[in-house]
Structure formats: C-alpha cells, structure tokens
C-alpha cells in the first residue's frame, strides 16, 4: 500500500502517543478505533476522517484542530481563528452575552484589518454592529454596577452624586 500525502500526521500521532505513554492498542481502545486502522494512520497508509481525528485527539488530550491541520483538513489560519473562538466560548468567567460581544469585536477587528469575516461566525450575531456600544454599555453596567461617562462607578463613595 502506498503512503498517502497527509503531511506528517502519522509521525506526529506516534510522537503524541509515546509522550502520553500509551501503547497503540491503548490509544485505539480509548479513541474507539481498531488497532490495525490506527497503525495504518501512524504509518501514513490511511487518511482518517475528521471524526476519527477528533476521537484520537480527545483520547490524547490534544487539540483536534492541530490534527486537522496536519491532515490537510484545515489550514493554519483557520485553526488559529477557531482556537481563538473556542477559548472565548469556553471561558467560565464571562456570561454568554459578554462572549458574543467579544466575538463581535474580534470579527470587526479582523474585518478592519482586511481579513474576511469567518465562515465559522454566526451570521446573525455579527450583523448588527450598531449594537456594539449599547452592549458594551450594558456590560459596564452589569459588571460592577452603573458607570459614569468617565468610567467611574456611579454608586461609588468618591463620586459627587452619591
């Protein structure tokens, strides 16, 4: 069987598996794929689907996007953009509305800098740019209470209107 052009995916997977101190059989079991199939992937004889790569990444506790790039499914720029979004969406310290605002701002900066609006962006969430200021004001008001025009707390002891 001839080796497929899947970049250095197989070598990378083997390295990650060894770093995780897993045997081929252990990783195959953890990822829910057959031992021979995983062996063929590592030797560059099979090109796995995105689903299989996701299962392997989960078993190895590594980024699926990294495997997608190595397999030629995703390019490097798309991966960076996806990872940025994933980090924002996974942050437990901010609420859903704040996450959407951050993603909107991120998209507006990308557009301003000459990058296309992502195909991964939720079209509805990125079309109403007039609400950025309103939403940002809402965030200020909900984060620590209402703010004055200079950014200080309206209910603060230091503020003359208190």
């Amino acid at each position: 069987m001839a080796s497929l052009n899947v970049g250095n995916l197989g070598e990378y997977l083997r390295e990650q598996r060894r770093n995780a101190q897993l045997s081929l059989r252990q990783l195959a079991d953890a990822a829910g794929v057959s031992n021979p199939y995983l062996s063929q992937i590592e030797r560059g004889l099979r090109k796995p689907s995105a689903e299989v790569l996701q299962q392997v990444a989960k078993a190895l506790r590594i980024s699926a996007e990294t495997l997608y790039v190595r397999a030629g499914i995703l390019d490097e720029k798309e991966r960076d953009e996806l990872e940025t979004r994933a980090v924002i969406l996974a942050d437990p310290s901010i609420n859903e509305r704040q996450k959407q605002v951050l993603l909107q701002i991120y998209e507006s900066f990308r557009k301003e800098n000459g990058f296309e609006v992502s195909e991964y962006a939720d079209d509805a969430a990125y079309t109403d740019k007039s609400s950025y200021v309103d939403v940002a004001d809402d965030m200020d008001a909900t984060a620590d209470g209402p703010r004055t025009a200079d950014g200080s707390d309206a209910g603060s002891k230091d503020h003359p209107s208190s």
Side-chain angles (χ1 to χ4, degrees), residues 27-43:
L27 178 56
D29 288 344
V33 299
S34 75
N35 189 36
Y37 183 61
L38 184 58
S39 174
Q40 290 172 346
I41 294 170
E42 281 193 0
R43 291 181 288 140

Side-chain angles (χ1 to χ4, degrees), residues 5-159:
N5 184 13
V6 290
N8 56 356
L9 174 65
E11 293 172 17
Y12 181 76
L13 279 177
R14 182 178 293 121
E15 180 183 320
Q16 294 302 310
R17 177 176 58 78
R18 288 180 177 161
N19 287 343
Q21 299 179 339
L22 294 171
S23 70
L24 192 64
R25 184 172 309 281
Q26 288 171 320
L27 178 56
D29 288 344
V33 299
S34 75
N35 189 36
Y37 183 61
L38 184 58
S39 174
Q40 290 172 346
I41 294 170
E42 281 193 0
R43 291 181 288 140
L45 302 176
R46 296 272 186 192
K47 183 174 181 175
S49 67
E51 183 179 323
V52 168
L53 289 174
Q54 185 175 23
Q55 292 169 235
V56 171
K58 186 175 180 182
L60 287 170
R61 296 182 180 177
I62 61 174
S63 163
E65 287 80 10
T66 300
L67 296 183
Y68 297 160
V69 169
R70 292 193 180 260
I73 295 172
L74 188 67
D75 75 14
E76 196 79 32
K77 289 179 186 175
E78 289 174 317
R79 181 195 70 180
D80 291 345
E81 188 179 337
L82 283 172
E83 287 180 347
T84 300
R85 282 186 175 71
V87 167
I88 291 170
L89 292 171
D91 189 336
S93 67
I94 58 177
N95 67 38
E96 290 306 311
R97 184 169 171 95
Q98 292 167 334
K99 290 175 186 180
Q100 289 306 311
V101 170
L102 280 174
L103 290 172
Q104 288 173 346
I105 293 168
Y106 175 67
E107 279 303 321
S108 70
F109 284 153
R110 286 180 49 80
K111 189 173 183 178
E112 182 179 310
N113 292 333
F115 292 94
E116 291 184 26
V117 174
S118 170
E119 64 184 85
Y120 305 104
D122 176 13
D123 293 339
Y126 298 98
T127 54
D128 186 14
K129 298 192 180 4
S130 65
S131 66
Y132 287 168
V133 174
D134 295 338
V135 173
D137 289 344
D138 288 349
M139 284 177 48
D140 279 346
T142 58
D144 299 309
R147 304 261 186 203
T148 62
D150 67 357
S152 62
D153 290 338
S156 156
K157 292 182 270 185
D158 302 330
H159 195 275

